[in-house]
C-alpha cells in the first residue's frame, strides 16, 4: 500500500480477491499515474489517471508499487 505517492508516479491498482471475483474492479492490475495526492485527513484518497485518460479517485489502500512479473 502506498500512503504518500508522488505526483506523476506510476502505481498499480490492486483490489481484494473478493471485489475482483464479484466483477466490481474492471481496472484491477492496471498501471496508472498519480495526478493529485491527499496530504492529510482521513480517508486518504488520491486522484489517478487511467491509461485511457479518465480521471478517478481511489483510496490509498488500493495503490501498490507496480509489479515486475
Amino acid at each position: 500500500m502506498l500512503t504518500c505517492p508522488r505526483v506523476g508516479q506510476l502505481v498499480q491498482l490492486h483490489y481484494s480477491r473478493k471485489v475482483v471475483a464479484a466483477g466490481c474492479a474492471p481496472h484491477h492490475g492496471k498501471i496508472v499515474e498519480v495526478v493529485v495526492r491527499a496530504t492529510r485527513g482521513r480517508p486518504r484518497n488520491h486522484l489517478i489517471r487511467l491509461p485511457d485518460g479518465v480521471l478517478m479517485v481511489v483510496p490509498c489502500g488500493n495503490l501498490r508499487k507496480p509489479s515486475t512479473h
Side-chain angles (χ1 to χ4, degrees):
M1 174 174 78
L2 293 173
T3 56
C4 293
R6 295 181 317 272
V7 172
Q9 181 178 358
L10 294 178
V11 297
Q12 185 175 23
L13 281 177
H14 184 81
Y15 294 93
S16 71
R17 288 186 187 122
K18 187 188 300 185
V19 173
V20 173
C24 297
H27 306 297
H28 176 74
K30 289 189 179 178
I31 305 297
V32 298
E33 177 187 4
V34 176
V35 178
V36 176
R37 69 180 184 98
T39 56
R40 59 184 171 172
R42 297 283 190 244
R44 289 206 172 167
N45 296 326
H46 305 299
L47 181 66
I48 59 162
R49 180 177 291 123
L50 296 171
D52 58 2
V54 175
L55 297 176
M56 186 169 123
V57 175
V58 296
C60 67
N62 291 357
L63 299 179
R64 313 258 183 198
K65 290 183 180 180
S67 62
T68 57
H69 53 81

